[in-house]
Amino acid sequence: GPLNNFIELSKSIGGIVQDQSHSVEDILKAQRDFIHISTQSTKPKTPETLVELLRPTQQAIEKVCAYTENNRISPFFNHLITVSEGIGVFGWVTLEETAEMEEKLLSTVKGYIESSQYYANRVIMEFKDKDRSHVDWANSYILLLTGVHQYITKFHTHGLVWNPKGAKPETFIGKKPVGSKSTSVPTPSSGPADMSAVFKEINRGEDITSALRKVDKSQMTHKNPNLRAGSTVSFTGAQKKGPAAPPKPASLSLKKPPKKEFDNNKWIIENFENDNNIVIEETAINHSIYIFGCKNSTISVKGKIKAVTLGKFIISVKRDRKFCF
């Protein structure tokens, strides 16, 4: 129900909003297949096997995020980022079972819904007096994510359970599980996207919500510029080399200024080049980081945050870790 409503409202808006909604539908189909596999398979013993089983979901998530990254100047950018900010809820299947699993799982999912709601509210404010269909669209996506939260609460409170008497998980790679009604399953590809490191970090089972605390106004960097002055974050972009493109004339080259700001529990890091001294020190467990357009740079995160969004991937971050990409 919620998915069909979201698809229909996306269709009424059309364009890239409709196109992105089809990738959201692909994610739900892929996740349904993955859950069917868990009822027929033993638990994967290696991260590599898990990654291959999750590849259809991964490919669909990449498409969702690509719509956002490639259309940042679109008048519908807030629509696109509303979707991509909430898409992390579908990572719940990767969380390892622990004693505090219920709290961890539901808190993680709720965090993504709240992040999506932030941008959905922008859509609602922009269109509430112009076109109510956009307001209905924004609410329909939050309703869809909330439905996922309710589904997990009802059926998977302690995480995804595998069948200890099932077949080997390798036998399901690239194949449709028995009983699934999904229309298609993308075949494994040999592309550059390798999620094994991501899931290895996620599957360590550290409780990312245990340190949750209330931050008063004196500690909020967006309300205190002096706190923000000493902060920095970093990123080493390693891109696959291809044929050299002819240089653009200087008149056509537009270099955007570096941007580092804190907005609604999110650090935004953009357009840094050749900078290895970007450090973020003022952090909290409910903060996240969004990185875009950085090259040959390093972003260091001091402390513990909820997640890093880097292009297509949402990365689990532990305390005092430096990530180079």
Side-chain angles (χ1 to χ4, degrees):
L3 174 62
N4 291 336
N5 190 36
F6 170 70
I7 296 297
E8 287 301 313
L9 288 168
S10 298
K11 183 178 179 181
S12 69
I13 297 174
I16 53 178
V17 173
Q18 180 182 4
D19 294 340
Q20 189 188 48
S21 72
H22 293 316
S23 294
V24 173
E25 184 177 20
D26 290 340
I27 293 172
L28 272 88
K29 289 179 178 179
Q31 183 143 109
R32 180 170 58 185
D33 285 344
F34 184 79
I35 294 172
H36 273 292
I37 289 174
S38 72
T39 68
Q40 302 168 27
S41 167
T42 58
K43 185 176 180 178
K45 295 182 179 180
T46 65
E48 291 75 19
T49 300
L50 180 62
V51 167
E52 289 302 322
L53 293 175
L54 285 167
R55 191 174 293 278
T57 305
Q58 172 197 338
Q59 292 172 336
I61 289 176
E62 289 177 7
K63 289 181 180 179
V64 166
C65 294
Y67 281 111
T68 303
E69 300 299 338
N70 297 334
N71 295 279
R72 295 178 64 81
I73 62 174
S74 167
F76 297 120
F77 177 71
N78 282 331
H79 295 66
L80 303 176
I81 197 169
T82 293
V83 175
S84 59
E85 281 293 297
I87 217 67
V89 301
F90 297 101
W92 71 270
V93 294
T94 69
L95 295 178
E96 222 24 71
E97 185 173 358
T98 64
E100 303 83 13
M101 183 62 181
E102 180 176 356
E103 179 183 356
K104 174 183 178 181
L105 177 59
L106 298 180
S107 296
T108 301
V109 172
K110 185 178 180 181
Y112 285 117
I113 296 175
E114 290 174 349
S115 183
S116 180
Q117 182 72 68
Y118 171 74
Y119 290 99
N121 289 342
R122 289 188 174 185
V123 175
I124 293 171
M125 291 298 295
E126 180 181 356
F127 287 94
K128 64 179 181 179
D129 297 324
K130 295 190 295 184
D131 188 342
R132 292 290 302 181
S133 65
H134 293 260
V135 176
D136 293 339
W137 175 90
N139 288 329
S140 74
Y141 186 65
I142 299 302
L143 182 63
L144 173 60
L145 299 183
T146 303
V148 175
H149 185 277
Q150 292 171 344
Y151 168 76
I152 297 169
T153 302
K154 185 174 181 180
F155 297 106
H156 301 284
T157 306
H158 300 290
L160 191 65
V161 178
W162 297 79
N163 186 348
K165 298 182 179 179
K168 292 183 178 180
E170 290 80 5
T171 61
F172 294 94
I173 294 177
K175 298 179 181 178
K176 182 179 292 297
V178 177
S180 174
K181 298 180 181 179
S182 297
T183 56
S184 63
V185 177
T187 56
S189 67
S190 57
D194 180 8
M195 297 291 283
S196 58
V198 177
F199 291 117
K200 183 178 181 180
E201 289 296 324
I202 293 175
N203 288 332
R204 290 186 188 278
E206 180 176 340
D207 185 357
I208 63 174
T209 64
S210 61
L212 205 59
R213 62 184 177 86
K214 182 176 179 62
V215 180
D216 60 46
K217 293 183 179 180
S218 66
Q219 296 173 298
M220 296 180 181
T221 54
H222 64 295
K223 294 182 180 292
N224 295 275
N226 292 334
L227 294 178
R228 203 161 56 233
S231 304
T232 35
V233 184
S234 290
F235 158 71
T236 304
Q239 298 182 349
K240 192 174 182 179
K241 293 185 178 180
K248 290 183 179 181
S251 60
L252 297 180
S253 299
L254 180 60
K255 184 177 180 180
K256 297 182 179 180
K259 176 182 178 182
K260 177 190 169 189
E261 66 179 35
F262 186 79
D263 182 21
N264 195 48
N265 293 332
K266 176 182 290 187
W267 284 97
I268 300 173
I269 310 297
E270 295 183 344
N271 307 319
F272 282 90
E273 293 188 19
N274 303 313
D275 190 339
N276 294 317
N277 298 302
I278 310 169
V279 181
I280 291 183
E281 294 181 316
E282 300 296 332
T283 60
I285 189 63
N286 61 334
H287 291 178
S288 60
I289 298 176
Y290 177 81
I291 302 170
F292 177 81
C294 296
K295 298 179 180 179
N296 301 318
S297 300
T298 303
I299 301 171
S300 299
V301 182
K302 304 295 183 180
K304 197 170 184 182
I305 60 175
K306 179 173 66 175
V308 173
T309 301
L310 174 64
K312 302 172 183 177
F313 304 121
I314 299 172
I315 301 171
S316 173
V317 180
K318 301 182 186 300
R319 188 179 301 276
D320 297 328
R321 295 292 295 274
K322 178 184 291 186
F323 290 86
C324 298
F325 303 91

